[in-house]
Amino acid sequence: MTDERLCRVLDDLIRREPLFHRPEFGTTRADFAAMTAPDFWETGASGQRYDRAYVLDALEERHRDPPVEEWETSEFSCRELAADVYLLTYTLVLDGRMSRRATIWQQDPDGWKVVYHQGTVVQGS
């Protein structure tokens, strides 16, 4: 459940997710670098930790020949963690696989930056 005072933040963040799948926010390594904090990291569905350099390498490779993906998002919720730092959670169905997603976003003078991201596959989906 999202606090009513966070509706504008929630709307802004919904437009940016699923993370790295919105071409309107860029498709190049430079675009992805600009949207991630210098100390960004993520936890993949396998439980493996990936640092920013690894993620940027993987995104650069994926966008050399962008896949055609079908995705649907739902159940968005936003919580303020600290001043200008927010946790966004949601459900993603990507090419038939359901996962729960959590992204920590920070708003700074240059716009929104991703600090952390995790995707956990929902078993049986």
Side-chain angles (χ1 to χ4, degrees):
M1 190 94 178
T2 300
D3 187 309
E4 192 173 298
R5 68 185 174 80
L6 297 177
C7 287
R8 182 194 60 78
V9 170
L10 177 64
D11 289 344
D12 281 353
L13 297 180
I14 286 173
R15 284 192 293 277
R16 289 168 167 72
E17 297 279 1
L19 183 61
F20 307 131
H21 293 270
R22 297 281 192 165
E24 62 269 30
F25 291 103
T27 58
T28 68
R29 182 185 189 95
D31 295 329
F32 298 129
M35 73 174 69
T36 56
D39 58 348
F40 167 83
W41 62 286
E42 84 172 39
T43 303
S46 66
Q48 179 74 33
R49 178 187 167 128
Y50 301 103
D51 66 15
R52 183 176 188 242
Y54 179 90
V55 171
L56 293 176
D57 288 347
L59 290 168
E60 186 175 43
E61 180 64 30
R62 178 170 71 184
H63 284 278
R64 282 193 182 119
D65 185 22
V68 176
E69 300 172 319
E70 291 187 29
W71 53 264
E72 181 181 324
T73 55
S74 61
E75 301 176 334
F76 282 94
S77 182
C78 182
R79 175 175 288 197
E80 187 172 22
L81 301 177
D84 297 320
V85 178
Y86 303 89
L87 169 64
L88 183 74
T89 59
Y90 64 98
T91 298
L92 171 67
V93 177
L94 175 62
D95 295 331
R97 185 176 87 163
M98 181 184 288
S99 60
R100 305 272 190 241
R101 300 291 173 124
T103 310
I104 297 176
W105 289 91
Q106 181 171 24
Q107 192 169 34
D108 70 16
D110 295 326
W112 289 105
K113 303 282 187 202
V114 182
V115 176
Y116 173 77
H117 181 72
Q118 180 171 349
T120 303
V121 174
V122 175
Q123 294 300 320
S125 62

